[in-house]
Amino acid sequence: MAVDRITELKQYLDRGDKTALEKFLRKLHPADIAFMFQDMEFEEKLSVLTLLNFEKAGSVLGELDEGERSEILSSLGPEPLSDIVEAIPSDDAADILSEVSEEKAEKTLELMEEEEAEDVEELMKYSPETAGGIMIPDFFSLSEETTVDEAILALRKEKNVEMLSYLYVVDEDGRLSGVVSLRRLIAAEGDCRLKEIMNREVVSARTDVDQEEVAGLVRKYDLRALAIVDGNGRLIGRVTVDDVMDVIEEEATEDIYKMVGTDDEELSKKSILNVVRLRLPWLLISLVGGIVAATIMKSFNVTLENVIALAFFIPVIMGMGGNIGMQSSTIVVRGLATGRIKLGHIWGVLFREIRTGALMGLICGAVVGVAAHIFQGKVVLGIVVASSMFIAITVAAVVGALMPLMLKSLKIDPAIASGPFVTTANDITGLLIYFLLATSFIRYLG
Amino acid sequence: MAVDRITELKQYLDRGDKTALEKFLRKLHPADIAFMFQDMEFEEKLSVLTLLNFEKAGSVLGELDEGERSEILSSLGPEPLSDIVEAIPSDDAADILSEVSEEKAEKTLELMEEEEAEDVEELMKYSPETAGGIMIPDFFSLSEETTVDEAILALRKEKNVEMLSYLYVVDEDGRLSGVVSLRRLIAAEGDCRLKEIMNREVVSARTDVDQEEVAGLVRKYDLRALAIVDGNGRLIGRVTVDDVMDVIEEEATEDIYKMVGTDDEELSKKSILNVVRLRLPWLLISLVGGIVAATIMKSFNVTLENVIALAFFIPVIMGMGGNIGMQSSTIVVRGLATGRIKLGHIWGVLFREIRTGALMGLICGAVVGVAAHIFQGKVVLGIVVASSMFIAITVAAVVGALMPLMLKSLKIDPAIASGPFVTTANDITGLLIYFLLATSFIRYLG
C-alpha cells in the first residue's frame, strides 16, 4: 500500500505532471505525506511542498523529524515560511520558528498578521519541554451565567479553535472556575446555565510545569485537554491529548537513550562528529573505569602469574556483574519514571533486588564454578570463581538498584547517570572481590 | 499535598470514623485513591473499597497495578465483584474478570445483568494486546440520512456511551461509512443530513490488529478514538485515546525491560523465584558466552603466560566493545519501535554506525593505547591494545546495529533478543581480535 503510493508519487514527479500530482496529494493525510518524505530526494520534497496549500504544507513540516525539517526550513525564505506558519496552529508555528535562525524568525514574524505573530512570539518564550512550550494558546471559554443555547450558538461562530473537546468556564478576571465537555453540553437542557452543569474540579497546570508532569495529569484523569493557567490562575491555553501522546513517547525514548549514554537527538544529527560528541562522555567514564581495572590487576600481578587460569574467568565475572547491575538499574530507572516505584519505598525495592541478586548469584556461581573445576581440574579454583561470582552479582544488584534511587533523591536524572556509573562501579568491585578471594586462597590454587 | 491526604485518611481509618471517611473519599478522584493504596495495609484497602460506590470502587481497581489488584480480587466473592464490574466500562470489566479464576469469573458473569455480561464475555475472547482486547464495545452510530437536530436529540437520550467524541455514521449493514466529531455536529445547521457533514475518510482497525499499531494510528491521525470493525467492516467498538496513552507507555516500558532481559511483569511479581525465572534465560546466554570466552583464553594460554600484562587490558577491551554494542543496538531497537528507522534503510543506518564506531574506536583506542604504553613501558603493547580496541569497537557498532535489524526482518522482536546476543557476540569477537593480534606480535611483546 505505502510502497504503491510512493511509486505513484515518483511517477508523477518524474513526468513533471503537476496536475496529477496535485490531485494525488489532495487525497493524502499530511502524516502520510511526511512518511513518504523518507524515500524522497531533497528536491522532490520541495516540489511536493510547494504544491500543497499552506496549511497542509505546515502540517507536513510538523510531522517531520527535526533534522529533516531543519534542512527544508533552511531553504525556505521568510515569505513562504510566513504563509505556512500563519496557516498552522500557533504551537506548531512556534516550534518551527524556534528552529530557524533568529534573523529569519524575526523577518517571518514581521510578515505575519499581527495577532497571530504575537501569539507565536508569546509561545516562543516558554522553554520547549514545559506546559507553556507545548500548549496551544487558543481555547473556548464563557462565563458562568451563559446558557447552554447561548454556548452552542457561540461555538457555531467560533471557527478557529482546533481539537476542541471542552468548554472552559471563567470568572470576570479570566480565572478558571469550571469545565463542560461538549458531550455534556449537548446532553443538557437549552436554558441551563453553565454553572449548573459544569464540573468544578478542573484539572489545570501552570505554564512552567514540566511536560512529563503534564502528560501524567492527562493520563491520570483521562483528559482530552489540560487547561494551562498563568501565575494568577488565569486561563491562557490548553495542552491537547495528541501532543501528550507525543510527550509520552518522547520521554520514554529519551530515557532509553540516556541509559546508554546518548540522546534522542542522535537520529536527527547529520554529522558523525556530533553523534560521537553525544556518546563519548559516557564511554570515557567506562574507559577510565577500565584503566582503573587494569591498575588493580597489575597490583595483583603475583597472584595472576602464579595461577594464569585466574585470568580466564575475569570476563565472565565482570560481565555477569555488569548484566545484573544493568537489569536492576533499568528496573528502578523505569519504575521511577512511570511512578511504579516511589522514593518512599526504597527499602522494599532494595531488599527485593538483594534477594533476587543473591539467588541469581547462587545459580550462576554454581554453573561457572563447576565449569571452572572441569576446566582446570582444581576444586579450589571452582570454589573461588563460584564465590566471587556469587558476591559480585549480589553486590551488582544492590549497586544497580541503589544508584538511580540515590541520583533521584539528589534530583539528578537517574536515567542519564545510572548506566556508566553502575557498570564501572560493578566492574571494579567484581574484579576486587575476585582477586582478593584468589589471593587469600593462593596456596591452594598454585 | 498527597502526604497530607494519606495522613488524613489514616486518621479516619484508625478512628474507625466511617462518616468522615466516606465524606473524605467522595471528594477524591479514583486515580488519587489508587495512588494512596501504595501506602496502605491490605485490610485498610478493603475497608476503603467497601465504602465507595460500585462504580468508584471499580475505577480504583482499574487504576491499580496487576499485582496489587489480583491480591484484592482474590479476597472478593462473586457477589461484590459482580456489582463492581457491572458498574464500570465493559473493557475494564473484562480485564478484571480475566485476572480471576475461571470459576469465579463464570459465577460473577451469571450474577450480572445479561446484556452487560454478554458484552464482557465477548471482550474476554480477544487477546489482551490487540484492538479487540483494548476496545470498548459501545459507540454511538446513526444512519447517513439522519439530520443534525435528530442526531443531537438522540445524543441527549444516550447516557451510556463513555468518553464520546465522535458520532459514527453507518450503512444499513452496520458498515462504517463516515464520522462526525461532536465539534462538527454542534457547528452544523440543524437540518443538514449527516452524510453532508461527515468525514468519509474514517480511520479504523480490525479487532485482531496489534495494540501497538492501534496506538500508531491514533497518534498519526491525532484521533480521540479509533473505530474498531469486524472482518466484514461492521463497526463493533472503539479504542479511546486514554487507553492509547496507556498502550504507548506500556509498550515503551516493555521494550526497555526486554532489552535487559526481563519483563514489565516483574514489578507485579510477588515472589523472587518468579523474578529470577524471568531474568535468568538472558543471563544464562551471557554465562555461556563467558565460558566460551574462558575457553578461548585458555587456548591462548601460551601468549598469556609470556606476557601477563595482556590480561590487564582484557576487561577494558571487552567492556568498551560491550558498551558501544549496547549503544548501537539501543538506537536501532528504539528507532525501529518508533518508526524513525525503517527496515528499508538498513544500509544508511549501518554505514552511519560503522563510521561512528570507527571514530569512537580511534579515540578510545588512542587513550587506552597510551595508558598501556605508560603502564608497561612497551610501545608494542600500546599498539596492540590500541588496535584491538579500535577493531573491537568498530565491529561492536556493526554487530549492535545489525542484530536488531536482522531479528526484525526475521519477525523476531528486536528488543527481546538484542541485549544478550549483542553483548555475547561482542565479548567473544573482542577477545579473539585481541589475542590474535597479541599472538602475532608476541616476539615484540615478551
Side-chain angles (χ1 to χ4, degrees):
Chain A
M1 181 74 182
V3 177
D4 293 347
R5 277 192 195 156
I6 184 79
T7 321
E8 195 177 341
L9 180 84
K10 290 251 179 188
Q11 277 176 2
Y12 299 138
L13 277 168
D14 291 346
R15 272 195 262 142
D17 188 345
K18 267 198 179 182
T19 332
L21 196 54
E22 267 186 318
K23 199 178 149 200
F24 175 71
L25 290 169
R26 217 171 299 138
K27 287 184 301 181
L28 292 177
H29 190 280
D32 291 318
I33 300 176
F35 186 79
M36 293 199 296
F37 267 36
Q38 295 181 326
D39 293 301
M40 282 158 66
E41 304 294 325
F42 183 65
E43 292 304 325
E44 294 177 332
K45 295 177 194 174
L46 283 186
S47 324
V48 165
L49 276 178
T50 51
L51 285 177
L52 302 172
N53 65 38
F54 297 135
E55 191 189 342
K56 204 162 186 177
S59 302
V60 171
L61 281 179
E63 296 280 341
L64 295 177
D65 282 348
E66 220 175 286
E68 209 177 358
R69 181 166 55 220
S70 74
E71 204 184 355
I72 292 172
L73 289 176
S74 62
S75 78
L76 287 178
E79 220 159 317
L81 197 55
S82 72
D83 289 330
I84 289 174
V85 293
E86 216 166 36
I88 60 174
S90 38
D91 62 326
D92 295 336
D95 286 349
I96 286 179
L97 287 187
S98 62
E99 286 167 26
V100 303
S101 70
E102 217 168 295
E103 200 195 329
K104 197 194 255 185
E106 262 174 45
K107 274 191 193 156
T108 309
L109 284 165
E110 273 168 32
L111 290 166
M112 287 168 65
E113 234 180 85
E114 206 180 285
E115 203 184 326
E116 180 67 20
E118 269 170 26
D119 269 2
V120 174
E121 262 180 303
E122 195 57 39
L123 285 180
M124 288 172 71
K125 283 183 203 153
Y126 299 109
S127 70
E129 303 208 335
T130 62
I134 56 172
M135 76 175 183
I136 321 175
D138 53 9
F139 49 85
F140 187 73
S141 69
L142 293 167
S143 76
E144 297 188 356
E145 300 298 329
T146 319
T147 65
V148 168
D149 277 341
E150 287 165 356
I152 290 180
L153 222 65
L155 256 176
R156 287 206 173 142
K157 285 192 202 135
E158 176 60 69
K159 300 269 180 244
N160 288 325
V161 178
E162 64 153 347
M163 300 289 261
L164 201 148
S165 301
Y166 299 116
L167 184 169
Y168 292 105
V169 184
V170 294
D171 65 13
E172 313 82 71
D173 298 324
R175 265 191 289 266
L176 201 56
S177 61
V179 64
V180 179
S181 70
L182 293 192
R183 167 78 175 108
R184 187 80 197 259
L185 190 73
I186 290 176
E189 295 298 325
D191 53 359
C192 253
R193 297 197 183 275
L194 294 184
K195 66 176 175 190
E196 298 164 47
I197 59 164
M198 73 186 189
N199 180 356
R200 284 169 198 277
E201 311 260 310
V202 206
V203 187
S204 66
R206 270 175 48 161
T207 47
D208 55 354
V209 169
D210 188 84
Q211 65 171 2
E212 203 165 357
E213 219 174 298
V214 169
L217 287 171
V218 172
R219 272 191 72 192
K220 184 169 172 189
Y221 297 109
D222 290 344
L223 304 174
R224 298 287 189 261
L226 179 70
I228 306 298
V229 295
D230 67 11
N232 300 314
R234 266 194 301 266
L235 182 63
I236 56 166
R238 296 170 298 150
V239 172
T240 52
V241 70
D242 52 306
D243 291 327
V244 168
M245 285 190 282
D246 296 339
V247 169
I248 295 173
E249 178 142 331
E250 262 171 40
E251 294 281 340
T253 304
E254 214 178 279
D255 275 3
I256 294 177
Y257 283 1
K258 275 184 191 164
M259 272 190 265
V260 293
T262 177
D263 201 286
D264 57 343
E265 283 172 41
E266 182 171 321
L267 286 176
S268 45
K269 293 263 179 273
K270 289 284 162 219
S271 127
I272 295 300
L273 263 178
N274 286 328
V275 175
V276 170
R277 212 173 289 148
L278 274 177
R279 290 198 202 173
L280 210 54
W282 193 74
L283 292 177
L284 288 181
I285 295 175
S286 290
L287 198 61
V288 170
I291 293 171
V292 172
T295 319
I296 291 172
M297 285 170 75
K298 197 181 173 190
S299 72
F300 286 102
N301 205 359
V302 182
T303 309
L304 199 56
E305 262 174 5
N306 267 317
V307 194
I308 253 329
L310 280 173
F312 306 163
F313 298 96
I314 294 169
V316 72
I317 288 173
M318 290 176 76
M320 293 305 284
N323 286 335
I324 274 126
M326 270 298 264
Q327 288 186 330
S328 295
S329 69
T330 304
I331 292 284
V332 175
V333 167
R334 188 64 188 159
L336 286 170
T338 57
R340 292 186 69 175
I341 293 178
K342 299 268 171 306
L343 269 190
H345 302 143
I346 290 193
W347 296 112
V349 174
L350 212 58
F351 184 54
R352 187 191 170 94
E353 285 303 323
I354 292 176
R355 286 185 301 157
T356 309
L359 184 52
M360 293 193 301
L362 217 58
I363 299 171
C364 295
V367 173
V368 82
V370 169
H373 170 55
I374 296 173
F375 227 74
Q376 210 60 11
K378 280 194 185 118
V379 184
V380 184
L381 184 71
I383 293 172
V384 166
V385 169
S387 327
S388 306
M389 177 79 95
F390 169 69
I391 303 173
I393 285 182
T394 312
V395 171
V398 176
V399 172
L402 211 52
M403 192 77 80
L405 291 168
M406 228 174 60
L407 292 168
K408 174 88 178 181
S409 68
L410 294 172
K411 308 231 176 285
I412 302 172
D413 182 351
I416 206 163
S418 295
F421 291 125
V422 169
T423 312
T424 307
N426 285 339
D427 274 4
I428 291 173
T429 48
L431 205 61
L432 272 176
I433 292 162
Y434 184 41
F435 274 98
L436 284 174
L437 263 183
T439 309
S440 33
F441 285 91
I442 190 74
R443 53 188 153 136
Y444 310 105
L445 283 167
Chain B
M1 181 73 181
V3 176
D4 292 349
R5 276 193 196 155
I6 184 79
T7 321
E8 197 178 340
L9 181 84
K10 290 250 179 188
Q11 277 175 2
Y12 299 139
L13 278 168
D14 291 346
R15 273 195 264 142
D17 188 344
K18 268 197 178 181
T19 332
L21 196 55
E22 267 186 317
K23 200 180 149 198
F24 175 72
L25 290 170
R26 216 171 299 138
K27 287 184 301 183
L28 293 177
H29 191 280
D32 291 318
I33 300 176
F35 185 80
M36 292 198 297
F37 267 37
Q38 295 181 326
D39 294 301
M40 281 156 66
E41 303 295 325
F42 183 65
E43 291 303 324
E44 294 176 331
K45 294 178 194 172
L46 283 186
S47 323
V48 166
L49 277 178
T50 50
L51 285 177
L52 301 173
N53 65 38
F54 297 134
E55 191 189 342
K56 204 161 185 177
S59 303
V60 171
L61 282 179
E63 297 280 340
L64 296 178
D65 282 348
E66 220 174 285
E68 210 177 357
R69 182 166 54 220
S70 73
E71 205 183 353
I72 293 172
L73 288 176
S74 62
S75 77
L76 288 178
E79 218 159 316
L81 198 55
S82 71
D83 288 329
I84 290 174
V85 293
E86 214 165 35
I88 59 174
S90 39
D91 61 327
D92 295 337
D95 285 349
I96 286 179
L97 287 187
S98 63
E99 286 167 27
V100 303
S101 70
E102 218 168 294
E103 199 194 328
K104 196 194 258 186
E106 262 174 45
K107 276 192 190 153
T108 309
L109 285 165
E110 273 168 31
L111 290 166
M112 288 168 66
E113 235 179 84
E114 206 178 329
E115 204 184 325
E116 180 66 20
E118 269 171 25
D119 270 2
V120 174
E121 263 181 302
E122 194 59 38
L123 286 180
M124 287 172 70
K125 284 184 203 152
Y126 300 109
S127 72
E129 303 207 335
T130 62
I134 56 171
M135 77 176 182
I136 320 176
D138 53 8
F139 49 85
F140 186 73
S141 70
L142 293 167
S143 76
E144 297 190 357
E145 299 299 329
T146 318
T147 66
V148 168
D149 277 340
E150 288 165 355
I152 290 181
L153 221 64
L155 256 175
R156 286 205 175 143
K157 284 192 204 135
E158 177 60 69
K159 301 270 180 238
N160 288 326
V161 178
E162 63 153 347
M163 300 290 262
L164 200 147
S165 302
Y166 300 115
L167 184 170
Y168 292 105
V169 185
V170 293
D171 66 14
E172 314 81 71
D173 297 325
R175 265 190 288 265
L176 202 55
S177 61
V179 62
V180 179
S181 69
L182 292 193
R183 168 78 177 106
R184 185 83 195 259
L185 189 72
I186 290 176
E189 296 297 327
D191 54 358
C192 254
R193 294 196 185 275
L194 294 184
K195 67 176 173 189
E196 297 164 50
I197 57 165
M198 73 185 188
N199 180 356
R200 284 169 198 278
E201 311 260 310
V202 207
V203 186
S204 66
R206 271 176 44 163
T207 47
D208 54 355
V209 169
D210 188 84
Q211 64 170 3
E212 203 164 359
E213 218 174 298
V214 169
L217 287 170
V218 172
R219 273 192 70 193
K220 184 169 173 191
Y221 297 109
D222 289 344
L223 303 175
R224 298 287 188 262
L226 179 70
I228 305 299
V229 294
D230 67 11
N232 300 315
R234 266 193 302 266
L235 183 62
I236 56 166
R238 296 170 297 150
V239 172
T240 53
V241 71
D242 53 305
D243 291 328
V244 168
M245 285 190 283
D246 296 340
V247 169
I248 295 173
E249 179 143 330
E250 262 171 41
E251 294 282 340
T253 304
E254 214 179 280
D255 275 4
I256 293 176
Y257 283 1
K258 275 185 192 163
M259 273 190 264
V260 293
T262 176
D263 201 285
D264 57 343
E265 283 172 39
E266 184 173 318
L267 286 176
S268 45
K269 292 265 179 271
K270 290 282 162 221
S271 126
I272 295 301
L273 263 177
N274 286 328
V275 174
V276 170
R277 213 172 288 148
L278 274 176
R279 292 199 201 171
L280 209 55
W282 193 72
L283 292 177
L284 289 181
I285 296 176
S286 290
L287 198 62
V288 170
I291 293 171
V292 173
T295 319
I296 291 172
M297 284 170 77
K298 196 181 174 190
S299 71
F300 285 104
N301 206 0
V302 182
T303 309
L304 200 56
E305 262 173 6
N306 267 319
V307 194
I308 223 53
L310 279 173
F312 306 163
F313 298 95
I314 294 170
V316 73
I317 289 173
M318 289 176 74
M320 293 306 284
N323 286 334
I324 274 127
M326 270 297 265
Q327 287 186 329
S328 295
S329 68
T330 304
I331 293 283
V332 175
V333 166
R334 187 66 190 161
L336 286 170
T338 58
R340 292 186 70 174
I341 292 178
K342 298 268 172 303
L343 268 190
H345 302 144
I346 291 192
W347 296 113
V349 174
L350 212 57
F351 185 55
R352 186 190 170 96
E353 286 302 323
I354 293 177
R355 285 185 303 156
T356 309
L359 184 52
M360 292 193 301
L362 216 58
I363 299 171
C364 295
V367 173
V368 81
V370 170
H373 170 54
I374 296 173
F375 226 75
Q376 210 59 14
K378 281 196 184 114
V379 184
V380 184
L381 184 70
I383 293 172
V384 167
V385 169
S387 328
S388 305
M389 177 80 95
F390 169 69
I391 302 173
I393 285 182
T394 313
V395 171
V398 176
V399 173
L402 211 53
M403 192 76 79
L405 291 168
M406 228 173 61
L407 291 169
K408 174 90 177 179
S409 68
L410 293 172
K411 307 230 177 284
I412 302 173
D413 182 350
I416 207 164
S418 296
F421 291 124
V422 169
T423 312
T424 307
N426 285 340
D427 274 5
I428 291 173
T429 48
L431 205 62
L432 271 177
I433 292 162
Y434 184 40
F435 274 99
L436 284 173
L437 263 182
T439 308
S440 35
F441 285 92
I442 192 74
R443 54 189 152 140
Y444 309 105
L445 283 168

